[in-house]
Amino acid sequence: MSEEIKGIEQQEFMRGFTRLCDDGWLQGWHERNGGNLTYRMKAEEVEACKPFFKEPGEWVNMGVQADNLRSEYFVTTGSGRYMRNVQGDPAHNVGIVEINEAGDSWRIVWGLEDGAKPTSEFPSHFLNHSVRVEATNGADRVIYHAHPDNVIALTKVMPLDAREFTRALWKAMTECIVVFPKGVGVVPWMVPGGADIAHATSELMKTFDAAIWAQHGMFVSGPDFDLTFGLMHTIEKAAKIHGQALAMNNCSGDFMNTITDQGLRDIARDFGLTVNEDFLD
Ligand code: 2HA
Ligand code: ZN
């Protein structure tokens, strides 16, 4: 019997990609066309997909460039396409793009049917992939942008400062510091979709694997779909707990009970974490 031939939609990485889109939708983070996801493919995944690639489209310049992403392949959600529709119809709502040898342009080799294009945040994703490849020695492959309610709500009432946000989130729930020991970065309000927000975010992603976009959402990076979704989910849950506790406490952050800085240090010691010391008192 011949070995089963898997089409692109049946490949493990594509199932992980589309499942994350659906998981985010079910969380309520992807109203209308909100949010986007990209994945840097492994060489063996590209090889397995090549027989199913179509006649490539035109090269499109991105306005950003990265040496360490020359000739890479990415899976990307489509601009204007809805996360809600991804799992039911991947070929129309997501696609695979090839990056040129100069590392500054993409062309579509699969999916994004009927004239779709990569996400409007592709330049942001691309620059952030470049920074994360550098920061993690190639381990990080997933960049995920979502509009999680509680994180966005906190950006309306808290100082837009990485230290303040990180401390509030670490102290909201005991295991947060284990999930994001480096903390979270904060980008002030900016116009979405352009090179400016891409550069501002990628500056932060040299240090952090999560960045909050004020009054907009969050940007996270990780090595696989489980860890990346889990990071978004954990930060959003911590934001929800912090927001609820503030509301229960007459909007004061001076809580009757909280995790002390010594407590955070004790977790770091017992779990062998490299925490961002700048964010501890
Ligand atoms: O893809 O969320 O920030 C739509 C967006 C842009
Ligand atoms: Zn957005």
Side-chain angles (χ1 to χ4, degrees), residues 98-267:
E98 177 185 3
I99 303 301
N100 66 354
E101 281 177 25
D104 65 6
S105 304
W106 52 257
R107 65 178 179 181
I108 298 168
V109 296
W110 181 82
L112 294 172
E113 296 296 334
D114 293 333
K117 290 191 169 52
T119 167
S120 58
E121 301 290 1
F122 199 80
S124 277
H125 282 246
F126 187 76
L127 271 192
N128 282 287
H129 275 290
S130 174
V131 164
R132 296 306 299 169
V133 163
E134 179 78 23
T136 66
N137 228 338
D140 274 13
R141 295 188 169 272
V142 186
I143 301 265
Y144 178 34
H145 167 58
H147 297 170
D149 329 17
N150 294 284
V151 166
I152 298 171
L154 280 187
T155 68
K156 304 198 66 109
V157 298
M158 281 181 61
L160 298 174
D161 174 75
R163 192 174 192 276
E164 294 252 6
F165 262 87
T166 299
R167 291 174 59 77
L169 297 170
W170 278 351
K171 293 182 177 214
M173 194 165 66
T174 296
E175 286 175 30
C176 281
I177 195 167
V178 183
V179 178
F180 47 100
K182 299 261 163 63
V184 297
V186 180
V187 179
W189 186 87
M190 293 179 81
V191 175
D196 288 350
I197 196 165
H199 283 290
T201 309
S202 64
E203 244 350 275
L204 294 178
M205 296 297 266
K206 288 176 183 168
T207 316
F208 305 108
D209 52 12
I212 290 169
W213 284 0
Q215 293 92 56
H216 184 153
M218 191 156 47
F219 221 80
V220 300
S221 171
D224 62 33
F225 296 111
D226 280 346
L227 286 164
T228 310
F229 184 83
L231 179 58
M232 182 78 76
H233 201 191
T234 306
I235 295 172
E236 167 61 0
K237 181 164 179 180
K240 179 176 174 179
I241 292 168
H242 185 66
Q244 286 183 352
L246 279 175
M248 292 169 183
N249 202 41
N250 295 321
C251 306
S252 162
D254 187 12
F255 299 120
M256 181 180 291
N257 309 304
T258 194
I259 304 170
T260 61
D261 283 67
Q262 187 54 48
L264 293 173
R265 287 182 202 281
D266 291 347
I267 299 171

